[in-house]
Amino acid sequence: MARTLPISDPDTLAVAIEALRRGEPIAVPTETVYGLAADATNPEAITRIYEAKGRPRFNPLIAHVSDIEMAKAHVVFSPLADKLAEAFWPGPLTLVLPLNPSAKIHPLATAGLATAALRMPQGFAREIIAAFGQPLAAPSANRSGRVSPTTAAHVADDLGDKISLILDGGSCRVGVESTILSVEGDHLRLLRPGGIAAKDIEDIAGMAVERPVQQSGNMVIAPGMLASHYAPDSALRLNASAVRPGEAVIRFGGAQIPGEEEASVVMDLSPTGDLREAAANLFDFIKRADAAGVVGIAVAPVPMHGLGEAINDRLSRAAAPRE
Ligand code: TXA
Ligand code: MG
């Protein structure tokens, strides 16, 4: 079983760095979700991430950096990318940018693409990267296709028998993964809605964020973002307007749903209707409903503005039919 160390323990940073130098993936708290981090320049270390998660190798990883100089050693920044990094880093924005010829991020981390996804996280994760001196590749610290972890206990439940070290930084403040934005010339493309609202990006960039659509009408998403990502064990249905007996209810904004008295559990993402609070609670509530072994999970509508776009994206993936 994995050992869990609080980030407040004075030895934790040194223990983490030693593990990373041995090429071990370790679970690290970030402001979005817990990541499974390993040296992005070391092919064996990256392979161990894919193995622990059971993740398909064609699905590239985000490389996490501690400062802008580290970022620029690996990817090419346009003035627009600079402006966005200045406004939102450190924070929940991932930028997809062209790799530069001297990049040391290993092709296993980028799945051989000509671009890399980079993010500068907040807090202890950033301290680890600064101390390590190289970017850390880190997908969310869950088995592939499962709900992302927002506490150390979530990581232990899902990956505790696959990894040796979990750093415990408490609950993640944001609670949904970073927004992934591809910056290509004068085009900004939203590959995944996340912890920074598209509107906030548009306000800084002074231009629209494009949401590319496929013929099916779905967004063209980051490679490997499968429809049935975030799958709980119980069936989850959206836009519920009535509760079926024995269902778990996840609602929003304090609004009751008819039939709640027959629900097995009722949780409100944010009784006051605050989308930030709702995002922070989302994955924990899905996991709790699932752990209760309910007949199904009924989710009330959540507004689409601000962080609502990311919340609705994750909910619709959790509700998608399994392949
Ligand atoms: O908040 C987050 O972003 C968390 C924390 C740990 O930082 N990480 C995370 O990683 O959500 P992961 O692996 O679960 O999601 C990364 C996504 C994948 O959908 C992948 O396809 C996409 O980023 N991605 C990575 N490199 C890419 C690239 N060069 N072009 C387009 N998408 C890319
Ligand atoms: Mg993930």
Side-chain angles (χ1 to χ4, degrees):
M1 266 318 265
R3 175 157 74 126
T4 297
L5 287 180
I7 61 169
S8 55
D9 184 331
D11 298 332
T12 298
L13 183 63
V15 174
I17 298 293
E18 274 171 42
L20 292 170
R21 295 222 189 287
R22 286 194 299 270
E24 270 177 41
I26 63 173
V28 174
T30 83
E31 76 279 33
T32 57
V33 300
Y34 277 70
L36 185 60
D39 184 350
T41 67
N42 175 341
E44 284 93 56
I46 299 163
T47 299
R48 290 170 74 174
I49 294 179
Y50 284 107
E51 279 168 0
K53 281 184 61 91
R55 175 174 173 121
R57 313 279 160 123
F58 58 77
N59 188 4
L61 308 175
I62 296 172
H64 295 69
V65 296
S66 54
D67 54 73
I68 199 81
E69 289 69 37
M70 187 185 282
K72 288 185 174 176
H74 301 277
V75 294
V76 183
F77 276 70
S78 62
L80 179 56
D82 266 325
K83 199 179 194 181
L84 293 168
E86 203 169 296
F88 296 111
W89 281 5
L93 177 67
T94 294
L95 296 173
V96 174
L97 296 168
L99 275 170
N100 83 29
S102 59
K104 292 209 178 64
I105 296 173
H106 196 274
L108 272 173
T110 56
L113 297 172
T115 54
L118 257 71
R119 165 164 121 78
M120 188 193 294
Q122 293 169 351
F124 195 70
R126 188 177 176 204
E127 285 176 45
I128 295 177
I129 302 160
F132 188 61
Q134 293 288 356
L136 294 180
S140 49
N142 52 278
R143 277 181 290 143
S144 186
R146 309 294 300 201
V147 178
S148 295
T150 55
T151 66
H154 292 165
V155 181
D157 284 346
D158 213 20
L159 288 180
D161 57 347
K162 300 259 182 339
I163 61 177
S164 59
L165 183 61
I166 300 170
L167 308 187
D168 187 350
S171 294
C172 299
R173 181 177 60 77
V174 177
V176 290
E177 300 86 341
S178 60
T179 301
I180 304 182
L181 191 70
S182 128
V183 185
E184 300 160 53
D186 277 345
H187 292 273
L188 296 178
R189 295 196 168 88
L190 186 66
L191 301 184
R192 177 178 75 183
I196 301 271
K199 170 80 168 59
D200 294 342
I201 295 170
E202 290 178 334
D203 287 348
I204 294 290
M207 66 173 76
V209 166
E210 298 165 29
R211 291 170 175 78
V213 284
Q214 287 175 331
Q215 280 164 342
S216 65
N218 293 322
M219 263 178 64
V220 173
I221 36 166
M225 273 199 73
L226 309 170
S228 72
H229 225 72
Y230 307 96
D233 291 326
S234 321
L236 185 149
R237 64 188 182 90
L238 302 179
N239 299 319
S241 53
V243 180
R244 299 172 189 157
E247 277 184 325
V249 174
I250 299 181
R251 70 181 193 196
F252 177 81
Q256 289 201 8
I257 308 177
E260 268 186 9
E261 51 300 332
E262 297 209 62
S264 51
V265 53
V266 178
M267 293 174 278
D268 200 316
L269 289 168
S270 171
T272 60
D274 175 348
L275 287 163
R276 287 178 192 277
E277 182 184 17
N281 283 327
L282 180 67
F283 291 147
D284 186 52
F285 282 15
I286 293 176
K287 280 170 178 285
R288 280 209 245 163
D290 221 13
V294 297
V295 300
I297 306 172
V299 186
V302 175
M304 264 304 275
H305 60 87
L307 291 194
E309 185 173 7
I311 294 170
N312 280 293
D313 171 80
R314 305 307 187 270
L315 284 171
S316 55
R317 287 177 203 289
R322 316 293 153 78
E323 72 274 7

